[in-house]
Amino acid sequence: MFRRTALAAGLTALLAGPAAAQTQITIQHPLPLNSHYGAGATALKEAFERAAGNRYRVVIQRNDNEREAIESVQIGTIECVITSTGPVGNFVPDTRNLDVPFLFRDSAHARGVLDGPIGQELLGRFNARGLAGVAWMENGFRHLTNSRREVNNPADIRGLKVRTMENQVHMRAFSTLGALPTPMAFSELVPALQQGTVDGQENPIPVIVANNLNQVQRFLTLTSHVYSPAVLICNPALLARMSAADRAAFQEAARAGVAANRARVTADEESGVEELRRRGMTVVTTVNTAAFQEALAPAFAEYERTLNAALLRRIRDWQ
Ligand code: PAF
C-alpha cells in the first residue's frame, strides 16, 4: 500500500516537474516602453502573470523593424509581436482592406469594426499564414510631417519624398497625391530624415511624440488620412501548448492590453498636438479633407478593383 502510494507520488512529481517550469513569452513592439504599445504590452504582462501565477513570465522587448518581428513570430524565435498593420498585408493580404485612406470616420468607427465580426473574421485569416491573430490594438490616425513646407492642401504634397511603411495601399495613395513614397522600416526613419533621404513621414500623434520626431521635422498637418490599426500576433504553437484555462487567461489579458493601449492613444491624441507645438512644430489643423479625398479618387478606384470591394462597403456602412 505504502509502496504504491509512494510510487504514485513519485510519478505525480515527475509529471508535475516540467509543467511547473516557467515559460517565457517574449512580446516585441517597435516603440519606447513609455508609449501606447508599451502601455498595451505592460497591461497584458501584468494581467497574464497575475492570472497564471509563476508559470509564465512575459518579457517585453523593443524591435522597431515590424516586418522582421513578424517573421520572428512566424518562425517561432519570439512568441508575440504588437505591430501596426503596415507590413501585415505582406503576410495576411486581407488586412490590406483596413489600410485604405479615409475608410474609418473616427476611432469609434474603427474600434467598433475591429471588435466586431469583421475584426474577428480578419483575425481568423492569420492562421493560414502560420500566425495567430489575437487582438486588435491601435496605433491611431496618421498625420503628415515634413521638413520643407506647410502642407495646407493636396497640391503641397507634390514632389515631397515621404517615407511610408512597407505597405502598397499607402504607397499607392502617396504616389496618387504626387509624392515620392519611399517605403522603409521604422528603424531607418530618423537617419533618413536627418540625412535628407526623405523630406517627410506620416504617423499618429502618439508616435510623433514618443519618438521626438519634432527634432527632425518642422511641419505637421493633421491630415488624419488613414487609420492605423495595430494587432497582437502570436506564434500559434504558443497558444496550442497552453491549457484551455491559460489560453482563456491570455485572451483576457490581451483584452486588458487593448484597453490600456487605446486609452493611451486617446490621451496622447488629446495632449500631443499642444506638446508638439510647445516643442516648436508648426501645426496645420484646418484640413480640407474633401480635397484630399477628391485627389485620391484614382487610388480609391484601384482599391475597389484590387481589394475586397464588398468588405470595404461593409466597413464603410458600419454604424
Ligand atoms: O510608421 C510605422 O512604421 C509605424 O506606425 C510604427 C511607428 C512602427 C508603429 O507601429
Side-chain angles (χ1 to χ4, degrees), residues 103-138:
L103 178 64
F104 295 101
R105 297 181 292 277
D106 50 29
S107 302
H109 181 196
R111 293 172 184 179
V113 167
L114 294 174
D115 292 346
I118 296 176
Q120 288 308 307
E121 280 165 34
L122 287 172
L123 288 179
R125 308 269 159 84
F126 283 66
N127 271 83
R129 308 288 162 157
L131 296 164
V134 179
W136 291 108
M137 292 199 173
E138 181 165 88

PDB file of all heavy atoms in Angstrom, residues 103-138:
ATOM      1  N   LEU A 103     -11.050  55.479 -44.705  1.00  0.00           N
ATOM      2  CA  LEU A 103     -12.051  54.403 -44.628  1.00  0.00           C
ATOM      3  C   LEU A 103     -12.879  54.536 -43.345  1.00  0.00           C
ATOM      4  O   LEU A 103     -14.092  54.316 -43.349  1.00  0.00           O
ATOM      5  CB  LEU A 103     -11.324  53.049 -44.654  1.00  0.00           C
ATOM      6  CG  LEU A 103     -12.178  51.805 -44.537  1.00  0.00           C
ATOM      7  CD1 LEU A 103     -13.107  51.678 -45.742  1.00  0.00           C
ATOM      8  CD2 LEU A 103     -11.282  50.550 -44.451  1.00  0.00           C
ATOM      9  N   PHE A 104     -12.206  54.883 -42.266  1.00  0.00           N
ATOM     10  CA  PHE A 104     -12.888  54.974 -40.961  1.00  0.00           C
ATOM     11  C   PHE A 104     -13.197  56.439 -40.644  1.00  0.00           C
ATOM     12  O   PHE A 104     -12.341  57.305 -40.802  1.00  0.00           O
ATOM     13  CB  PHE A 104     -12.005  54.377 -39.865  1.00  0.00           C
ATOM     14  CG  PHE A 104     -11.774  52.897 -40.022  1.00  0.00           C
ATOM     15  CD1 PHE A 104     -10.581  52.409 -40.554  1.00  0.00           C
ATOM     16  CD2 PHE A 104     -12.758  51.992 -39.656  1.00  0.00           C
ATOM     17  CE1 PHE A 104     -10.370  51.040 -40.705  1.00  0.00           C
ATOM     18  CE2 PHE A 104     -12.556  50.618 -39.802  1.00  0.00           C
ATOM     19  CZ  PHE A 104     -11.359  50.149 -40.328  1.00  0.00           C
ATOM     20  N   ARG A 105     -14.399  56.690 -40.172  1.00  0.00           N
ATOM     21  CA  ARG A 105     -14.826  58.069 -39.860  1.00  0.00           C
ATOM     22  C   ARG A 105     -14.095  58.610 -38.634  1.00  0.00           C
ATOM     23  O   ARG A 105     -13.715  59.761 -38.579  1.00  0.00           O
ATOM     24  CB  ARG A 105     -16.343  58.108 -39.590  1.00  0.00           C
ATOM     25  CG  ARG A 105     -17.202  57.718 -40.768  1.00  0.00           C
ATOM     26  CD  ARG A 105     -18.684  57.822 -40.406  1.00  0.00           C
ATOM     27  NE  ARG A 105     -19.103  56.823 -39.428  1.00  0.00           N
ATOM     28  CZ  ARG A 105     -19.437  55.559 -39.728  1.00  0.00           C
ATOM     29  NH1 ARG A 105     -19.394  55.140 -40.978  1.00  0.00           N
ATOM     30  NH2 ARG A 105     -19.814  54.708 -38.783  1.00  0.00           N
ATOM     31  N   ASP A 106     -13.967  57.755 -37.625  1.00  0.00           N
ATOM     32  CA  ASP A 106     -13.337  58.178 -36.371  1.00  0.00           C
ATOM     33  C   ASP A 106     -12.919  56.931 -35.586  1.00  0.00           C
ATOM     34  O   ASP A 106     -13.145  55.797 -36.046  1.00  0.00           O
ATOM     35  CB  ASP A 106     -14.289  59.064 -35.546  1.00  0.00           C
ATOM     36  CG  ASP A 106     -15.659  58.416 -35.394  1.00  0.00           C
ATOM     37  OD1 ASP A 106     -15.734  57.176 -35.405  1.00  0.00           O
ATOM     38  OD2 ASP A 106     -16.662  59.145 -35.270  1.00  0.00           O
ATOM     39  N   SER A 107     -12.363  57.135 -34.395  1.00  0.00           N
ATOM     40  CA  SER A 107     -11.873  55.991 -33.601  1.00  0.00           C
ATOM     41  C   SER A 107     -13.008  55.041 -33.230  1.00  0.00           C
ATOM     42  O   SER A 107     -12.820  53.819 -33.215  1.00  0.00           O
ATOM     43  CB  SER A 107     -11.228  56.472 -32.307  1.00  0.00           C
ATOM     44  OG  SER A 107     -10.186  57.326 -32.590  1.00  0.00           O
ATOM     45  N   ALA A 108     -14.177  55.605 -32.918  1.00  0.00           N
ATOM     46  CA  ALA A 108     -15.303  54.749 -32.507  1.00  0.00           C
ATOM     47  C   ALA A 108     -15.679  53.805 -33.656  1.00  0.00           C
ATOM     48  O   ALA A 108     -15.947  52.611 -33.434  1.00  0.00           O
ATOM     49  CB  ALA A 108     -16.495  55.614 -32.112  1.00  0.00           C
ATOM     50  N   HIS A 109     -15.674  54.327 -34.878  1.00  0.00           N
ATOM     51  CA  HIS A 109     -15.960  53.505 -36.057  1.00  0.00           C
ATOM     52  C   HIS A 109     -14.913  52.387 -36.176  1.00  0.00           C
ATOM     53  O   HIS A 109     -15.247  51.197 -36.312  1.00  0.00           O
ATOM     54  CB  HIS A 109     -15.962  54.415 -37.297  1.00  0.00           C
ATOM     55  CG  HIS A 109     -16.264  53.715 -38.586  1.00  0.00           C
ATOM     56  ND1 HIS A 109     -15.998  54.280 -39.807  1.00  0.00           N
ATOM     57  CD2 HIS A 109     -16.796  52.501 -38.858  1.00  0.00           C
ATOM     58  CE1 HIS A 109     -16.365  53.446 -40.774  1.00  0.00           C
ATOM     59  NE2 HIS A 109     -16.854  52.355 -40.219  1.00  0.00           N
ATOM     60  N   ALA A 110     -13.629  52.772 -36.102  1.00  0.00           N
ATOM     61  CA  ALA A 110     -12.555  51.784 -36.270  1.00  0.00           C
ATOM     62  C   ALA A 110     -12.611  50.721 -35.174  1.00  0.00           C
ATOM     63  O   ALA A 110     -12.553  49.515 -35.449  1.00  0.00           O
ATOM     64  CB  ALA A 110     -11.212  52.506 -36.249  1.00  0.00           C
ATOM     65  N   ARG A 111     -12.749  51.172 -33.924  1.00  0.00           N
ATOM     66  CA  ARG A 111     -12.762  50.214 -32.811  1.00  0.00           C
ATOM     67  C   ARG A 111     -13.974  49.298 -32.909  1.00  0.00           C
ATOM     68  O   ARG A 111     -13.889  48.096 -32.634  1.00  0.00           O
ATOM     69  CB  ARG A 111     -12.749  50.975 -31.471  1.00  0.00           C
ATOM     70  CG  ARG A 111     -11.436  51.714 -31.245  1.00  0.00           C
ATOM     71  CD  ARG A 111     -11.474  52.634 -30.027  1.00  0.00           C
ATOM     72  NE  ARG A 111     -10.241  53.397 -29.891  1.00  0.00           N
ATOM     73  CZ  ARG A 111      -9.995  54.283 -28.936  1.00  0.00           C
ATOM     74  NH1 ARG A 111     -10.907  54.527 -28.010  1.00  0.00           N
ATOM     75  NH2 ARG A 111      -8.848  54.927 -28.882  1.00  0.00           N
ATOM     76  N   GLY A 112     -15.116  49.868 -33.323  1.00  0.00           N
ATOM     77  CA  GLY A 112     -16.335  49.064 -33.457  1.00  0.00           C
ATOM     78  C   GLY A 112     -16.169  47.979 -34.512  1.00  0.00           C
ATOM     79  O   GLY A 112     -16.536  46.812 -34.294  1.00  0.00           O
ATOM     80  N   VAL A 113     -15.604  48.346 -35.655  1.00  0.00           N
ATOM     81  CA  VAL A 113     -15.403  47.358 -36.740  1.00  0.00           C
ATOM     82  C   VAL A 113     -14.425  46.274 -36.281  1.00  0.00           C
ATOM     83  O   VAL A 113     -14.650  45.074 -36.464  1.00  0.00           O
ATOM     84  CB  VAL A 113     -14.888  48.058 -38.026  1.00  0.00           C
ATOM     85  CG1 VAL A 113     -14.376  47.046 -39.041  1.00  0.00           C
ATOM     86  CG2 VAL A 113     -15.992  48.921 -38.635  1.00  0.00           C
ATOM     87  N   LEU A 114     -13.319  46.700 -35.672  1.00  0.00           N
ATOM     88  CA  LEU A 114     -12.282  45.730 -35.301  1.00  0.00           C
ATOM     89  C   LEU A 114     -12.731  44.811 -34.162  1.00  0.00           C
ATOM     90  O   LEU A 114     -12.335  43.650 -34.104  1.00  0.00           O
ATOM     91  CB  LEU A 114     -10.989  46.463 -34.930  1.00  0.00           C
ATOM     92  CG  LEU A 114     -10.343  47.208 -36.106  1.00  0.00           C
ATOM     93  CD1 LEU A 114      -9.157  48.037 -35.651  1.00  0.00           C
ATOM     94  CD2 LEU A 114      -9.904  46.235 -37.203  1.00  0.00           C
ATOM     95  N   ASP A 115     -13.561  45.315 -33.272  1.00  0.00           N
ATOM     96  CA  ASP A 115     -14.035  44.482 -32.155  1.00  0.00           C
ATOM     97  C   ASP A 115     -15.222  43.610 -32.550  1.00  0.00           C
ATOM     98  O   ASP A 115     -15.623  42.718 -31.807  1.00  0.00           O
ATOM     99  CB  ASP A 115     -14.452  45.371 -30.965  1.00  0.00           C
ATOM    100  CG  ASP A 115     -13.243  46.056 -30.342  1.00  0.00           C
ATOM    101  OD1 ASP A 115     -12.101  45.638 -30.644  1.00  0.00           O
ATOM    102  OD2 ASP A 115     -13.432  47.012 -29.564  1.00  0.00           O
ATOM    103  N   GLY A 116     -15.810  43.873 -33.711  1.00  0.00           N
ATOM    104  CA  GLY A 116     -17.000  43.128 -34.128  1.00  0.00           C
ATOM    105  C   GLY A 116     -16.657  41.991 -35.082  1.00  0.00           C
ATOM    106  O   GLY A 116     -15.499  41.582 -35.202  1.00  0.00           O
ATOM    107  N   PRO A 117     -17.674  41.466 -35.776  1.00  0.00           N
ATOM    108  CA  PRO A 117     -17.482  40.302 -36.646  1.00  0.00           C
ATOM    109  C   PRO A 117     -16.404  40.499 -37.724  1.00  0.00           C
ATOM    110  O   PRO A 117     -15.658  39.566 -38.015  1.00  0.00           O
ATOM    111  CB  PRO A 117     -18.854  40.116 -37.307  1.00  0.00           C
ATOM    112  CG  PRO A 117     -19.806  40.915 -36.503  1.00  0.00           C
ATOM    113  CD  PRO A 117     -19.048  41.945 -35.737  1.00  0.00           C
ATOM    114  N   ILE A 118     -16.298  41.709 -38.279  1.00  0.00           N
ATOM    115  CA  ILE A 118     -15.291  41.906 -39.346  1.00  0.00           C
ATOM    116  C   ILE A 118     -13.877  41.721 -38.774  1.00  0.00           C
ATOM    117  O   ILE A 118     -13.036  41.026 -39.350  1.00  0.00           O
ATOM    118  CB  ILE A 118     -15.443  43.309 -39.987  1.00  0.00           C
ATOM    119  CG1 ILE A 118     -16.805  43.421 -40.687  1.00  0.00           C
ATOM    120  CG2 ILE A 118     -14.305  43.593 -40.966  1.00  0.00           C
ATOM    121  CD1 ILE A 118     -17.109  44.788 -41.285  1.00  0.00           C
ATOM    122  N   GLY A 119     -13.647  42.339 -37.615  1.00  0.00           N
ATOM    123  CA  GLY A 119     -12.331  42.196 -36.981  1.00  0.00           C
ATOM    124  C   GLY A 119     -12.022  40.743 -36.666  1.00  0.00           C
ATOM    125  O   GLY A 119     -10.906  40.262 -36.886  1.00  0.00           O
ATOM    126  N   GLN A 120     -13.028  40.018 -36.155  1.00  0.00           N
ATOM    127  CA  GLN A 120     -12.828  38.604 -35.816  1.00  0.00           C
ATOM    128  C   GLN A 120     -12.532  37.780 -37.065  1.00  0.00           C
ATOM    129  O   GLN A 120     -11.659  36.916 -37.071  1.00  0.00           O
ATOM    130  CB  GLN A 120     -14.068  38.043 -35.091  1.00  0.00           C
ATOM    131  CG  GLN A 120     -14.221  38.559 -33.663  1.00  0.00           C
ATOM    132  CD  GLN A 120     -12.941  38.378 -32.848  1.00  0.00           C
ATOM    133  OE1 GLN A 120     -12.398  37.287 -32.768  1.00  0.00           O
ATOM    134  NE2 GLN A 120     -12.432  39.470 -32.262  1.00  0.00           N
ATOM    135  N   GLU A 121     -13.294  38.057 -38.148  1.00  0.00           N
ATOM    136  CA  GLU A 121     -13.053  37.327 -39.416  1.00  0.00           C
ATOM    137  C   GLU A 121     -11.616  37.536 -39.872  1.00  0.00           C
ATOM    138  O   GLU A 121     -10.934  36.596 -40.283  1.00  0.00           O
ATOM    139  CB  GLU A 121     -13.977  37.865 -40.523  1.00  0.00           C
ATOM    140  CG  GLU A 121     -15.395  37.329 -40.481  1.00  0.00           C
ATOM    141  CD  GLU A 121     -16.334  38.163 -41.368  1.00  0.00           C
ATOM    142  OE1 GLU A 121     -15.894  38.662 -42.425  1.00  0.00           O
ATOM    143  OE2 GLU A 121     -17.510  38.322 -40.971  1.00  0.00           O
ATOM    144  N   LEU A 122     -11.153  38.788 -39.783  1.00  0.00           N
ATOM    145  CA  LEU A 122      -9.794  39.071 -40.263  1.00  0.00           C
ATOM    146  C   LEU A 122      -8.749  38.400 -39.362  1.00  0.00           C
ATOM    147  O   LEU A 122      -7.757  37.853 -39.860  1.00  0.00           O
ATOM    148  CB  LEU A 122      -9.566  40.580 -40.350  1.00  0.00           C
ATOM    149  CG  LEU A 122     -10.304  41.263 -41.523  1.00  0.00           C
ATOM    150  CD1 LEU A 122     -10.204  42.785 -41.432  1.00  0.00           C
ATOM    151  CD2 LEU A 122      -9.750  40.791 -42.872  1.00  0.00           C
ATOM    152  N   LEU A 123      -8.992  38.399 -38.047  1.00  0.00           N
ATOM    153  CA  LEU A 123      -8.032  37.716 -37.153  1.00  0.00           C
ATOM    154  C   LEU A 123      -7.959  36.227 -37.512  1.00  0.00           C
ATOM    155  O   LEU A 123      -6.895  35.602 -37.432  1.00  0.00           O
ATOM    156  CB  LEU A 123      -8.444  37.875 -35.679  1.00  0.00           C
ATOM    157  CG  LEU A 123      -8.257  39.259 -35.051  1.00  0.00           C
ATOM    158  CD1 LEU A 123      -8.743  39.266 -33.600  1.00  0.00           C
ATOM    159  CD2 LEU A 123      -6.798  39.727 -35.107  1.00  0.00           C
ATOM    160  N   GLY A 124      -9.093  35.681 -37.933  1.00  0.00           N
ATOM    161  CA  GLY A 124      -9.150  34.262 -38.307  1.00  0.00           C
ATOM    162  C   GLY A 124      -8.300  33.929 -39.533  1.00  0.00           C
ATOM    163  O   GLY A 124      -7.903  32.778 -39.726  1.00  0.00           O
ATOM    164  N   ARG A 125      -7.996  34.925 -40.357  1.00  0.00           N
ATOM    165  CA  ARG A 125      -7.216  34.672 -41.582  1.00  0.00           C
ATOM    166  C   ARG A 125      -5.711  34.506 -41.304  1.00  0.00           C
ATOM    167  O   ARG A 125      -4.960  34.108 -42.184  1.00  0.00           O
ATOM    168  CB  ARG A 125      -7.377  35.829 -42.579  1.00  0.00           C
ATOM    169  CG  ARG A 125      -8.778  36.220 -42.889  1.00  0.00           C
ATOM    170  CD  ARG A 125      -9.332  35.472 -44.082  1.00  0.00           C
ATOM    171  NE  ARG A 125     -10.795  35.506 -44.051  1.00  0.00           N
ATOM    172  CZ  ARG A 125     -11.538  36.497 -44.520  1.00  0.00           C
ATOM    173  NH1 ARG A 125     -10.954  37.521 -45.090  1.00  0.00           N
ATOM    174  NH2 ARG A 125     -12.849  36.460 -44.439  1.00  0.00           N
ATOM    175  N   PHE A 126      -5.269  34.843 -40.073  1.00  0.00           N
ATOM    176  CA  PHE A 126      -3.831  34.774 -39.785  1.00  0.00           C
ATOM    177  C   PHE A 126      -3.335  33.320 -39.735  1.00  0.00           C
ATOM    178  O   PHE A 126      -2.185  33.034 -40.048  1.00  0.00           O
ATOM    179  CB  PHE A 126      -3.503  35.476 -38.449  1.00  0.00           C
ATOM    180  CG  PHE A 126      -3.489  36.985 -38.543  1.00  0.00           C
ATOM    181  CD1 PHE A 126      -4.649  37.699 -38.810  1.00  0.00           C
ATOM    182  CD2 PHE A 126      -2.309  37.692 -38.349  1.00  0.00           C
ATOM    183  CE1 PHE A 126      -4.641  39.097 -38.898  1.00  0.00           C
ATOM    184  CE2 PHE A 126      -2.282  39.081 -38.430  1.00  0.00           C
ATOM    185  CZ  PHE A 126      -3.443  39.774 -38.708  1.00  0.00           C
ATOM    186  N   ASN A 127      -4.220  32.411 -39.312  1.00  0.00           N
ATOM    187  CA  ASN A 127      -3.794  31.024 -39.084  1.00  0.00           C
ATOM    188  C   ASN A 127      -3.221  30.366 -40.333  1.00  0.00           C
ATOM    189  O   ASN A 127      -2.223  29.645 -40.258  1.00  0.00           O
ATOM    190  CB  ASN A 127      -4.950  30.191 -38.542  1.00  0.00           C
ATOM    191  CG  ASN A 127      -4.953  30.268 -37.033  1.00  0.00           C
ATOM    192  OD1 ASN A 127      -5.479  31.212 -36.473  1.00  0.00           O
ATOM    193  ND2 ASN A 127      -4.304  29.310 -36.366  1.00  0.00           N
ATOM    194  N   ALA A 128      -3.865  30.631 -41.477  1.00  0.00           N
ATOM    195  CA  ALA A 128      -3.398  30.024 -42.729  1.00  0.00           C
ATOM    196  C   ALA A 128      -1.992  30.505 -43.088  1.00  0.00           C
ATOM    197  O   ALA A 128      -1.335  29.930 -43.953  1.00  0.00           O
ATOM    198  CB  ALA A 128      -4.380  30.372 -43.844  1.00  0.00           C
ATOM    199  N   ARG A 129      -1.531  31.563 -42.432  1.00  0.00           N
ATOM    200  CA  ARG A 129      -0.194  32.123 -42.720  1.00  0.00           C
ATOM    201  C   ARG A 129       0.802  31.788 -41.609  1.00  0.00           C
ATOM    202  O   ARG A 129       1.818  32.461 -41.447  1.00  0.00           O
ATOM    203  CB  ARG A 129      -0.279  33.643 -42.888  1.00  0.00           C
ATOM    204  CG  ARG A 129      -1.333  34.084 -43.869  1.00  0.00           C
ATOM    205  CD  ARG A 129      -0.915  33.761 -45.281  1.00  0.00           C
ATOM    206  NE  ARG A 129      -2.054  33.782 -46.183  1.00  0.00           N
ATOM    207  CZ  ARG A 129      -1.964  33.964 -47.492  1.00  0.00           C
ATOM    208  NH1 ARG A 129      -0.790  34.107 -48.048  1.00  0.00           N
ATOM    209  NH2 ARG A 129      -3.034  33.958 -48.235  1.00  0.00           N
ATOM    210  N   GLY A 130       0.461  30.805 -40.775  1.00  0.00           N
ATOM    211  CA  GLY A 130       1.382  30.388 -39.719  1.00  0.00           C
ATOM    212  C   GLY A 130       1.479  31.391 -38.584  1.00  0.00           C
ATOM    213  O   GLY A 130       2.488  31.466 -37.881  1.00  0.00           O
ATOM    214  N   LEU A 131       0.412  32.171 -38.388  1.00  0.00           N
ATOM    215  CA  LEU A 131       0.390  33.191 -37.335  1.00  0.00           C
ATOM    216  C   LEU A 131      -0.955  33.106 -36.617  1.00  0.00           C
ATOM    217  O   LEU A 131      -1.940  32.671 -37.219  1.00  0.00           O
ATOM    218  CB  LEU A 131       0.553  34.589 -37.940  1.00  0.00           C
ATOM    219  CG  LEU A 131       1.874  34.892 -38.655  1.00  0.00           C
ATOM    220  CD1 LEU A 131       1.735  36.144 -39.526  1.00  0.00           C
ATOM    221  CD2 LEU A 131       3.004  35.072 -37.646  1.00  0.00           C
ATOM    222  N   ALA A 132      -0.991  33.548 -35.359  1.00  0.00           N
ATOM    223  CA  ALA A 132      -2.288  33.636 -34.678  1.00  0.00           C
ATOM    224  C   ALA A 132      -2.594  35.111 -34.422  1.00  0.00           C
ATOM    225  O   ALA A 132      -1.830  35.798 -33.730  1.00  0.00           O
ATOM    226  CB  ALA A 132      -2.239  32.867 -33.351  1.00  0.00           C
ATOM    227  N   GLY A 133      -3.678  35.600 -35.008  1.00  0.00           N
ATOM    228  CA  GLY A 133      -4.112  36.974 -34.749  1.00  0.00           C
ATOM    229  C   GLY A 133      -4.910  36.961 -33.447  1.00  0.00           C
ATOM    230  O   GLY A 133      -5.967  36.348 -33.373  1.00  0.00           O
ATOM    231  N   VAL A 134      -4.393  37.619 -32.406  1.00  0.00           N
ATOM    232  CA  VAL A 134      -5.017  37.503 -31.076  1.00  0.00           C
ATOM    233  C   VAL A 134      -5.986  38.649 -30.802  1.00  0.00           C
ATOM    234  O   VAL A 134      -7.107  38.429 -30.345  1.00  0.00           O
ATOM    235  CB  VAL A 134      -3.935  37.434 -29.963  1.00  0.00           C
ATOM    236  CG1 VAL A 134      -4.576  37.345 -28.580  1.00  0.00           C
ATOM    237  CG2 VAL A 134      -3.022  36.232 -30.200  1.00  0.00           C
ATOM    238  N   ALA A 135      -5.578  39.888 -31.061  1.00  0.00           N
ATOM    239  CA  ALA A 135      -6.461  41.025 -30.731  1.00  0.00           C
ATOM    240  C   ALA A 135      -6.041  42.254 -31.516  1.00  0.00           C
ATOM    241  O   ALA A 135      -4.855  42.442 -31.814  1.00  0.00           O
ATOM    242  CB  ALA A 135      -6.376  41.332 -29.233  1.00  0.00           C
ATOM    243  N   TRP A 136      -7.018  43.093 -31.817  1.00  0.00           N
ATOM    244  CA  TRP A 136      -6.730  44.363 -32.485  1.00  0.00           C
ATOM    245  C   TRP A 136      -6.400  45.414 -31.450  1.00  0.00           C
ATOM    246  O   TRP A 136      -7.198  45.693 -30.560  1.00  0.00           O
ATOM    247  CB  TRP A 136      -7.937  44.823 -33.311  1.00  0.00           C
ATOM    248  CG  TRP A 136      -8.173  43.953 -34.499  1.00  0.00           C
ATOM    249  CD1 TRP A 136      -9.191  43.053 -34.666  1.00  0.00           C
ATOM    250  CD2 TRP A 136      -7.376  43.877 -35.686  1.00  0.00           C
ATOM    251  NE1 TRP A 136      -9.066  42.423 -35.876  1.00  0.00           N
ATOM    252  CE2 TRP A 136      -7.968  42.915 -36.534  1.00  0.00           C
ATOM    253  CE3 TRP A 136      -6.226  44.527 -36.128  1.00  0.00           C
ATOM    254  CZ2 TRP A 136      -7.433  42.585 -37.783  1.00  0.00           C
ATOM    255  CZ3 TRP A 136      -5.698  44.193 -37.365  1.00  0.00           C
ATOM    256  CH2 TRP A 136      -6.298  43.232 -38.178  1.00  0.00           C
ATOM    257  N   MET A 137      -5.233  45.989 -31.583  1.00  0.00           N
ATOM    258  CA  MET A 137      -4.863  47.133 -30.757  1.00  0.00           C
ATOM    259  C   MET A 137      -4.949  48.372 -31.646  1.00  0.00           C
ATOM    260  O   MET A 137      -5.646  48.360 -32.659  1.00  0.00           O
ATOM    261  CB  MET A 137      -3.480  46.927 -30.164  1.00  0.00           C
ATOM    262  CG  MET A 137      -3.458  45.794 -29.145  1.00  0.00           C
ATOM    263  SD  MET A 137      -2.026  45.917 -28.078  1.00  0.00           S
ATOM    264  CE  MET A 137      -2.385  44.642 -26.893  1.00  0.00           C
ATOM    265  N   GLU A 138      -4.256  49.416 -31.300  1.00  0.00           N
ATOM    266  CA  GLU A 138      -4.421  50.659 -32.056  1.00  0.00           C
ATOM    267  C   GLU A 138      -3.116  51.450 -32.120  1.00  0.00           C
ATOM    268  O   GLU A 138      -2.373  51.528 -31.138  1.00  0.00           O
ATOM    269  CB  GLU A 138      -5.500  51.514 -31.382  1.00  0.00           C
ATOM    270  CG  GLU A 138      -5.775  52.817 -32.079  1.00  0.00           C
ATOM    271  CD  GLU A 138      -7.080  53.428 -31.583  1.00  0.00           C
ATOM    272  OE1 GLU A 138      -7.037  54.173 -30.593  1.00  0.00           O
ATOM    273  OE2 GLU A 138      -8.140  53.134 -32.185  1.00  0.00           O
TER     274      GLU A 138
END
